[in-house]
Coordinates of all heavy atoms in Angstrom, one line a residue:
S1285 N -15.9 -270.4 -26.7 CA -14.5 -270.4 -27.1 C -14.2 -269.1 -27.9 O -13.0 -268.7 -28.0 CB -14.3 -271.6 -28.1 OG -15.0 -271.5 -29.2
D1286 N -15.2 -268.4 -28.3 CA -15.0 -267.1 -29.1 C -15.0 -266.0 -28.0 O -14.9 -264.8 -28.4 CB -16.1 -266.8 -30.1 CG -16.1 -267.7 -31.3 OD1 -15.0 -268.4 -31.5 OD2 -17.0 -267.7 -32.1
G1287 N -15.1 -266.3 -26.7 CA -15.1 -265.3 -25.7 C -16.4 -264.5 -25.5 O -16.3 -263.4 -24.9
K1288 N -17.4 -265.0 -25.9 CA -18.7 -264.3 -25.9 C -19.4 -264.5 -24.5 O -19.1 -265.4 -23.9 CB -19.7 -264.7 -27.0 CG -19.2 -264.4 -28.4 CD -20.2 -264.5 -29.4 CE -19.6 -263.9 -30.7 NZ -20.7 -263.2 -31.5
I1289 N -20.2 -263.6 -24.1 CA -21.1 -263.7 -23.0 C -22.3 -264.5 -23.5 O -22.8 -264.3 -24.5 CB -21.6 -262.2 -22.6 CG1 -20.5 -261.3 -22.3 CG2 -22.6 -262.4 -21.4 CD1 -19.6 -261.7 -21.2
V1290 N -22.6 -265.6 -22.7 CA -23.7 -266.4 -23.1 C -24.8 -266.4 -22.1 O -24.6 -266.5 -20.9 CB -23.2 -268.0 -23.2 CG1 -24.4 -268.8 -23.7 CG2 -22.0 -268.1 -24.2
V1291 N -26.0 -266.0 -22.6 CA -27.2 -266.0 -21.8 C -28.1 -267.2 -22.1 O -28.3 -267.3 -23.3 CB -27.9 -264.6 -22.0 CG1 -29.2 -264.7 -21.2 CG2 -27.0 -263.5 -21.7
I1292 N -28.5 -267.8 -21.0 CA -29.3 -269.1 -21.2 C -30.6 -268.8 -20.3 O -30.5 -268.4 -19.1 CB -28.7 -270.3 -20.6 CG1 -27.2 -270.4 -21.2 CG2 -29.5 -271.5 -20.8 CD1 -27.2 -271.1 -22.6
S1293 N -31.7 -269.1 -21.0 CA -33.0 -268.9 -20.2 C -33.8 -270.2 -20.4 O -33.8 -270.8 -21.6 CB -33.8 -267.7 -20.5 OG -34.3 -267.9 -21.9
S1294 N -34.5 -270.7 -19.4 CA -35.3 -271.9 -19.5 C -36.8 -271.5 -19.5 O -37.2 -270.5 -18.8 CB -35.0 -272.9 -18.4 OG -35.3 -272.3 -17.1
W1295 N -37.6 -272.3 -20.1 CA -39.0 -272.0 -20.2 C -39.8 -273.3 -20.2 O -39.3 -274.4 -20.3 CB -39.3 -271.1 -21.4 CG -39.0 -271.6 -22.6 CD1 -37.7 -271.4 -23.3 CD2 -39.6 -272.6 -23.5 NE1 -37.6 -272.1 -24.4 CE2 -38.7 -272.8 -24.6 CE3 -40.8 -273.2 -23.5 CZ2 -39.1 -273.7 -25.7 CZ3 -41.2 -274.1 -24.6 CH2 -40.3 -274.3 -25.6
I1296 N -41.1 -273.2 -20.0 CA -42.0 -274.3 -20.2 C -43.3 -273.7 -20.8 O -43.7 -272.6 -20.7 CB -42.3 -275.0 -18.8 CG1 -42.9 -276.4 -19.2 CG2 -43.2 -274.2 -18.0 CD1 -42.9 -277.3 -17.8
K1297 N -43.9 -274.6 -21.6 CA -45.2 -274.2 -22.4 C -46.1 -273.6 -21.4 O -46.4 -274.1 -20.4 CB -45.6 -275.4 -23.1 CG -46.7 -275.2 -24.1 CD -47.1 -276.4 -24.8 CE -48.0 -276.2 -26.0 NZ -48.3 -277.4 -26.6
Y1298 N -46.8 -272.5 -21.8 CA -47.8 -271.8 -21.2 C -47.4 -271.1 -19.8 O -48.2 -270.9 -19.0 CB -49.1 -272.8 -20.8 CG -49.6 -273.5 -22.1 CD1 -49.7 -274.8 -22.2 CD2 -50.0 -272.7 -23.1 CE1 -50.2 -275.4 -23.3 CE2 -50.5 -273.2 -24.3 CZ -50.6 -274.7 -24.4 OH -51.0 -275.2 -25.5
C1299 N -46.1 -270.8 -19.7 CA -45.7 -270.2 -18.5 C -45.6 -268.7 -18.8 O -44.8 -268.2 -19.6 CB -44.3 -270.7 -18.1 SG -43.4 -269.7 -16.9
S1300 N -46.4 -267.9 -18.1 CA -46.4 -266.4 -18.4 C -45.2 -265.8 -17.9 O -44.7 -264.8 -18.6 CB -47.7 -265.8 -17.9 OG -47.7 -265.9 -16.4
S1301 N -44.6 -266.3 -16.8 CA -43.3 -265.6 -16.3 C -42.2 -265.8 -17.4 O -41.4 -265.0 -17.5 CB -43.0 -266.2 -15.0 OG -43.9 -265.9 -14.0
C1302 N -42.2 -267.1 -17.9 CA -41.2 -267.3 -18.9 C -41.3 -266.4 -20.1 O -40.3 -266.0 -20.6 CB -41.3 -268.8 -19.4 SG -41.3 -270.1 -18.1
A1303 N -42.5 -266.2 -20.6 CA -42.7 -265.4 -21.7 C -42.3 -264.0 -21.4 O -41.8 -263.3 -22.2 CB -44.2 -265.4 -22.2
G1304 N -42.6 -263.5 -20.2 CA -42.2 -262.2 -19.7 C -40.7 -262.1 -19.7 O -40.2 -261.0 -20.3
Q1305 N -40.0 -263.1 -19.2 CA -38.5 -263.0 -19.1 C -37.9 -263.0 -20.5 O -37.0 -262.2 -20.8 CB -38.0 -264.3 -18.3 CG -36.5 -264.2 -18.1 CD -36.0 -265.5 -17.4 OE1 -36.0 -266.5 -18.0 NE2 -35.7 -265.2 -16.1
M1306 N -38.4 -263.9 -21.4 CA -38.0 -264.0 -22.8 C -38.2 -262.6 -23.5 O -37.3 -262.2 -24.3 CB -38.7 -265.1 -23.5 CG -38.3 -266.4 -22.9 SD -39.1 -267.8 -23.6 CE -38.3 -268.0 -25.2

Side-chain angles (χ1 to χ4, degrees):
S1285 69
D1286 290 347
K1288 295 195 176 218
I1289 306 299
V1290 180
V1291 178
I1292 308 286
S1293 69
S1294 65
W1295 53 270
I1296 196 165
K1297 193 174 184 180
Y1298 304 123
C1299 170
S1300 60
S1301 297
C1302 303
Q1305 185 183 72
M1306 293 172 78

